[in-house]
Amino acid sequence: MQIIDSPGKRQTQQERFEKTRTLIYPDSGQACRELAAEVAVLIREREGSGERAVLGLATGSTPVPFYRELIRLHREEGLSFAKVVTFNLDEYYGLGPDHPESYARFMRDQLFDHIDIPAENINIPNGTVPLDRVYESCLAYEAKIQAAGGIDLQILGIGRTGHIGFNEPGSSRDSLTRMITLDRVTRLDAAPDFLGVQNVPRYAVTMGVGTILAARRLVLMAWGDNKAEIVRQAVEDAVTDQVSASFLQEHAGATFLVDAAAASRLTRRRLPWLTGSVNWDDAMERRSVLWLAKKLGKPVLKLVDEEYNENGAGELLTAAGRAYQVNIRVFNRLQHTITGWPGGKPDADDANRPERAQPFPKRVLILSPEPHDAIVGMGGTLERLVEQGHEVRLATQTSGNLRVSDVAAYKFASLVLEMAEGFGGSEWEGQEAYAKGILRQMEEKGEFGADPENVRKLKGLVLRGEARDAAKLFGIEHDALRFLDLPFYEKGRYRRFRLGDEDIEITRAMADEFRPHQIYVTGNVADPSSLDALCFQAFQTAVAQLDEAGADWLADCRFWLYRGKERPMEAHEISMAVPMSPDQLASKNEAMRKFQSINPEEIQTTERNREIAREYDALGMAEYEAIEAFQRWKRRGAA
Ligand code: F6R
């Protein structure tokens, strides 16, 4: 079995920086299908010899596609879980098993309710034992694992703090099941699930690092760009209690199972010339020169031959000439990514510009997963596109109502009620009943309950209003602002969304009617279960269908990716850099402030734009206040 039976530390030259065995798959779907097939073999083998398979399970978005595949194997291929025993890693402290965000509930929804596992074989740490009995209950959990014969295979995800289970930085190698305090980053990551960071529990009960490492085999899964840096640290850097997942380096049966995006920071992917021979094309040359400049803290034009040689990039010089020539080439290419004309500069020579001059003006479509995303991701560019006379359409893909705080909905319903009571009269009766209905429903759902449809609608309208105000600052009004309200979002919660045909159809119809020359979109490298990734998938599928149907405008359309919540682009990934003046940055900040119903802690700041500008400056480009970065995306089969 390729994934779960790791054959010691046998490594290729490419993998030589990796201290834990790491398998890279093109996408999470394929990785999960193969892992599930191997788990099925394990379960059947055990069953055949009259034994039970003991699985350690994780929650969170990462294992969801794996659980879906197990369910499919159960339904379609008769895989039985009657002889399987499971131990979950962790549970939020204070949440009962019926709480919608408890891990007990998560496991029922995502797996246990759909397979034939006996209830008595399921073990999940108890999040509701009184404080003075937590210790005892943790000891009992450890004892139960021992009594079951230990864990055969432990499934893990990884948090951005490097945690496995909820073993936040500082957890020791030998820690056992216990109660811990959740890290700030972990709580922020969980904020959308809990409809706001203030609702995320502060404590959790988790298996310890020692408990986890006692499993016979371990598979840690990670998907999406957000996990790329922490995966690299866990796999390539020294073992440290600041990154719990790094302890897997000490376990001979541990494997990291990652998709291409989560692998993107591993040396073999990021700096491939350090792990073997590469094809020195333009992209590779640029990547290695910019890396070297950054590493040495020098502008590109000051790099010298010895520095290339001493840092493992000597081969580039053999292939491409002296440092002087290589530096100039890369400098020029980077210079050419900078443009104040994101829609192309009319009547200018566009041979060295990221976007073509003609046609002018262009029809520009900007897709925003939730209403605030495009403003945060590319507000400055949006403003320029409008100012430069393009026909800009801003389409928000989902209503974003799950982001809106209860306080905002409460405020608006109360206002309507007060108006109705203040003005009185029969014409206000409807409004009064509506407002009272909303306030009652909010009261009834309690702090963590899901919003009923009416409340979600109201929250969506609040956010819509804010989006209108923000867009108006940039001159986008009326027909230029579209709210697609994709149905998959209305029917779901974070991490549990599922795209349907209708979502694709709506996206497709809107694009086809507008016939854009440019489309800006985000989410291509996000965690595949995230909202951004699903919105990107809807876009990508819509484009593929339009292509198949022969939509002629596609041949004259360019696609630009901006970054939402994922890691910011690195200089070598950028194909268009749009600088911002201090005034433009201020106006973007003003637009972002319009989103008052969203917790500001959960919205990215413009600091990211300043960072990119600093990076360009350090590489020897002009010094700008801030920069918004874009990467060109090509549809399959396009030139
Ligand atoms: C969950 C768990 C955590 C998660 C980690 C990643 O049981 O133990 O370590 O695996 O927080 O979460 P996701 O998968 O949501 O990115």
Side-chain angles (χ1 to χ4, degrees):
M1 293 200 275
Q2 138 98 353
I3 301 173
I4 63 182
D5 276 332
S6 60
K9 294 249 183 222
R10 191 162 47 85
Q11 269 181 326
T12 64
Q13 171 75 359
Q14 262 78 29
E15 296 158 10
R16 74 193 157 91
F17 286 88
E18 295 158 23
K19 299 175 192 146
T20 305
R21 177 172 178 258
T22 304
L23 301 177
I24 306 175
Y25 280 77
D27 58 67
S28 59
Q30 197 180 327
C32 286
R33 279 192 297 279
E34 290 196 22
L35 177 61
E38 294 190 14
V39 171
V41 172
L42 174 78
I43 294 174
R44 287 188 172 119
E45 270 175 12
R46 281 295 154 89
E47 205 182 343
S49 51
E51 287 173 73
R52 307 190 303 176
V54 183
L55 301 181
L57 300 180
T59 53
S61 49
T62 307
V64 169
F66 167 64
Y67 294 151
R68 283 192 190 141
E69 181 61 13
L70 288 182
I71 295 169
R72 192 195 67 75
L73 289 174
H74 170 67
R75 288 192 181 144
E76 295 174 17
E77 298 181 19
L79 177 65
S80 170
F81 293 78
K83 295 272 155 27
V84 173
V85 175
T86 63
F87 286 91
N88 262 82
L89 284 165
D90 41 17
E91 178 61 284
Y92 288 113
Y93 186 69
L95 303 195
D98 289 324
H99 186 289
E101 291 305 326
S102 77
Y103 284 165
R105 168 83 179 268
F106 177 97
M107 288 309 298
R108 291 204 303 277
D109 291 352
Q110 300 295 333
L111 182 65
F112 297 146
D113 281 356
H114 313 282
I115 57 177
D116 61 342
I117 186 164
E120 62 274 19
N121 289 8
I122 296 172
N123 301 282
I124 301 181
N126 187 342
T128 54
V129 266
L131 260 187
D132 59 350
R133 298 229 313 273
V134 169
Y135 179 67
E136 190 186 314
S137 135
C138 291
L139 282 184
Y141 201 67
E142 290 282 334
K144 214 162 176 196
I145 297 175
Q146 299 281 339
I151 291 172
D152 290 313
L153 171 65
Q154 175 67 55
I155 300 295
L156 298 166
I158 181 171
R160 283 195 302 137
T161 59
H163 70 215
I164 45 177
F166 273 140
N167 291 286
E168 299 290 19
S171 299
S172 78
R173 159 73 178 76
D174 300 319
S175 52
L176 298 177
T177 304
R178 70 204 187 289
M179 184 155 149
I180 52 89
T181 306
L182 292 170
D183 191 275
R184 209 182 86 82
V185 174
T186 303
R187 293 184 68 236
L188 274 177
D189 281 350
D193 307 337
F194 283 88
L195 312 175
V197 70
Q198 69 284 358
N199 299 326
V200 182
R202 295 188 175 272
Y203 307 100
V205 177
T206 180
M207 281 186 195
V209 177
T211 326
I212 292 170
L213 293 183
R216 284 182 274 283
R217 285 171 290 196
L218 301 152
V219 174
L220 184 151
M221 301 188 265
W223 325 127
D225 206 66
N226 246 349
K227 300 286 173 72
E229 177 53 26
I230 197 69
V231 163
R232 186 199 64 72
Q233 286 178 29
V235 169
E236 295 191 352
D237 285 354
V239 174
T240 164
D241 66 5
Q242 295 305 300
V243 178
S244 297
S246 69
F247 286 117
L248 265 58
Q249 294 177 20
E250 296 177 352
H251 195 300
T255 298
F256 273 63
L257 185 63
V258 298
D259 67 1
S264 62
R265 306 275 298 178
L266 293 176
T267 306
R268 70 165 130 152
R269 286 291 165 105
R270 181 157 172 263
L271 314 170
W273 57 91
L274 297 183
T275 63
S277 280
V278 297
N279 171 20
W280 287 105
D281 59 9
D282 285 356
M284 196 62 80
E285 176 175 281
R286 180 171 158 193
R287 191 197 272 216
S288 70
V289 174
L290 296 182
W291 163 79
L292 185 61
K294 205 169 162 187
K295 179 171 181 220
L296 301 178
K298 287 179 95 176
V300 170
L301 292 177
K302 288 193 180 169
L303 295 172
V304 296
D305 292 55
E306 294 74 48
E307 288 163 338
Y308 279 86
N309 287 331
E310 287 161 12
N311 289 282
E315 203 189 286
L316 168 61
L317 300 189
T318 328
R322 302 284 307 270
Y324 173 75
Q325 298 154 318
V326 173
N327 294 349
I328 291 189
R329 238 188 346 254
V330 171
F331 178 89
N332 283 337
R333 256 186 258 128
L334 191 64
Q335 178 94 322
H336 294 152
T337 61
I338 303 174
T339 182
W341 296 82
K345 187 170 187 181
D347 308 322
D349 174 11
D350 59 9
N352 285 320
R353 291 175 175 276
E355 183 52 270
R356 67 236 130 109
Q358 296 300 327
F360 182 86
K362 291 187 174 62
R363 284 186 298 275
V364 179
L365 175 61
I366 298 173
L367 293 172
S368 185
E370 288 178 312
H372 58 291
D373 289 322
I375 306 277
V376 177
M378 54 171 292
T381 304
L382 200 156
E383 186 176 17
R384 279 188 191 253
L385 287 162
V386 176
E387 274 172 11
Q388 290 167 359
H390 300 286
E391 188 187 339
V392 178
R393 177 177 289 186
L394 173 58
T396 74
Q397 292 159 287
T398 72
S399 72
N401 56 28
L402 292 170
R403 283 265 175 191
V404 177
S405 66
D406 276 359
V407 180
Y410 187 81
K411 188 168 108 187
F412 281 87
S414 307
L415 176 68
V416 173
L417 184 61
E418 261 181 51
M419 286 168 79
E421 284 171 356
F423 298 125
S426 57
E427 67 272 31
W428 282 91
E429 273 167 20
Q431 283 89 328
E432 187 175 345
Y434 168 79
K436 282 187 170 156
I438 294 276
L439 292 172
R440 196 191 52 248
Q441 283 177 321
M442 290 185 52
E443 201 68 39
E444 282 168 5
K445 82 178 171 102
E447 209 179 351
F448 296 126
D451 284 333
E453 203 182 320
N454 249 356
V455 175
R456 280 188 75 163
K457 264 217 173 99
L458 173 62
K459 287 185 168 180
L461 290 177
V462 170
L463 197 51
R464 216 181 242 217
E466 294 172 349
R468 271 207 195 94
D469 288 350
K472 196 170 173 188
L473 280 181
F474 297 144
I476 298 186
E477 291 187 75
H478 312 296
D479 216 29
L481 189 59
R482 295 289 171 101
F483 298 94
L484 302 187
D485 288 351
L486 293 182
F488 84 91
Y489 186 90
E490 300 308 312
K491 286 184 249 161
R493 285 176 78 94
Y494 287 99
R495 299 190 195 202
R496 312 198 188 161
F497 296 125
R498 274 184 166 210
L499 272 186
D501 292 343
E502 237 184 323
D503 304 302
I504 317 279
E505 183 45 40
I506 293 171
T507 311
R508 174 187 149 136
M510 194 266 311
D512 203 28
E513 178 241 333
F514 189 51
R515 305 170 61 80
H517 301 106
Q518 275 193 328
I519 299 183
Y520 290 83
V521 63
T522 185
N524 64 315
V525 288
D527 164 357
S529 70
S530 68
L531 177 66
D532 287 11
L534 289 172
C535 286
F536 184 80
Q537 203 188 321
F539 149 80
Q540 195 179 14
T541 317
V543 168
Q545 289 182 1
L546 285 164
D547 206 4
E548 226 175 275
D552 56 346
W553 57 268
L554 274 177
D556 196 25
C557 182
R558 272 198 196 174
F559 301 93
W560 294 100
L561 303 168
Y562 63 96
R563 284 282 160 92
K565 294 161 208 77
E566 313 95 309
R567 163 183 75 73
M569 277 177 211
E570 290 188 77
H572 75 265
E573 297 170 306
I574 297 173
S575 24
M576 175 158 76
V578 182
M580 299 166 82
S581 68
D583 281 348
Q584 285 163 333
L585 192 67
S587 105
K588 174 170 170 175
N589 276 320
E590 191 186 340
M592 281 164 54
R593 278 197 297 275
K594 299 288 178 200
F595 292 98
Q596 283 183 358
S597 64
I598 305 181
N599 183 342
E601 264 199 284
E602 292 165 38
I603 300 188
Q604 222 124 69
T605 65
T606 45
E607 187 46 33
R608 214 181 232 205
N609 304 127
R610 288 179 192 270
E611 265 165 35
I612 302 176
R614 280 196 289 270
E615 189 172 347
Y616 263 53
D617 178 27
L619 290 168
M621 302 288 115
E623 185 179 348
Y624 295 102
E625 178 74 9
I627 286 179
E628 286 177 344
F630 301 88
Q631 195 174 22
R632 183 126 178 240
W633 179 81
K634 293 193 178 157
R635 73 205 145 86
R636 201 169 292 152

